[in-house]
Amino acid sequence: MTSSTTTARRGGPVVGLLVLLWLVGLLALLWWAFALGMESWADQQSNGGARAAELGRQGNQLLLALAVVAAGGPALIALAAYWMRLVRTGTVFLVLAVAIGIPALWVAAHAYRDLAPSPPPPGPPGHCVELSGGDTRCPGG
């Protein structure tokens, strides 16, 4: 038995455990999405949407986490599979990571943009600013 055969035999359970952890993570995030949706629905029914902004922020956090787990899980599994010389398994999970990662990147970018709003545009100062060298138009001065 060669060293690569031994590594591949030990790699099967490790990759299987990583796949199981990835699926459990996805299911946990989907449960969070369901609970958040139910909370949002209950808020609309009872309070008229008083917590809509907070629930929207939580929804964006959920989308970011879902995008990272959905695309990052297969990428990590592919890396582990290649490291343990499971080339076909690594290739399958690498293709899966790319196929999920492209739309996940788009979703994550939009969720992050909504999560971190841009600063307000610069405008005139909200108070009187005295300028030197001329008459002042500030009240009292």
Side-chain angles (χ1 to χ4, degrees), residues 108-134:
H110 285 284
Y112 181 75
R113 183 192 65 201
D114 293 341
L115 193 59
S118 59
H127 59 280
C128 186
V129 177
E130 292 190 30
L131 302 174
S132 62

Side-chain angles (χ1 to χ4, degrees), residues 19-133:
V19 169
L20 184 65
L21 289 173
W22 174 57
L23 292 174
V24 167
L26 284 176
L27 287 174
L29 288 172
L30 290 174
W31 180 258
W32 182 23
F34 175 74
L36 189 62
M38 292 303 291
E39 190 175 347
S40 176
W41 178 79
D43 180 54
Q44 287 293 331
Q45 298 302 317
S46 62
N47 300 335
R51 295 185 45 221
E54 178 187 343
L55 292 173
R57 184 182 54 78
Q58 288 179 359
N60 285 331
Q61 289 172 343
L62 171 70
L63 282 175
L64 278 173
L66 194 57
V68 168
V69 171
L76 180 68
I77 295 167
L79 184 67
Y82 281 127
W83 184 62
M84 295 185 181
R85 295 186 176 97
L86 299 170
V87 177
R88 285 181 283 185
T89 304
T91 303
V92 166
F93 278 99
L94 184 62
V95 168
L96 187 62
V98 170
I100 294 173
I102 291 171
L105 185 62
W106 183 79
V107 167
H110 285 284
Y112 181 75
R113 183 192 65 201
D114 293 341
L115 193 59
S118 59
H127 59 280
C128 186
V129 177
E130 292 190 30
L131 302 174
S132 62

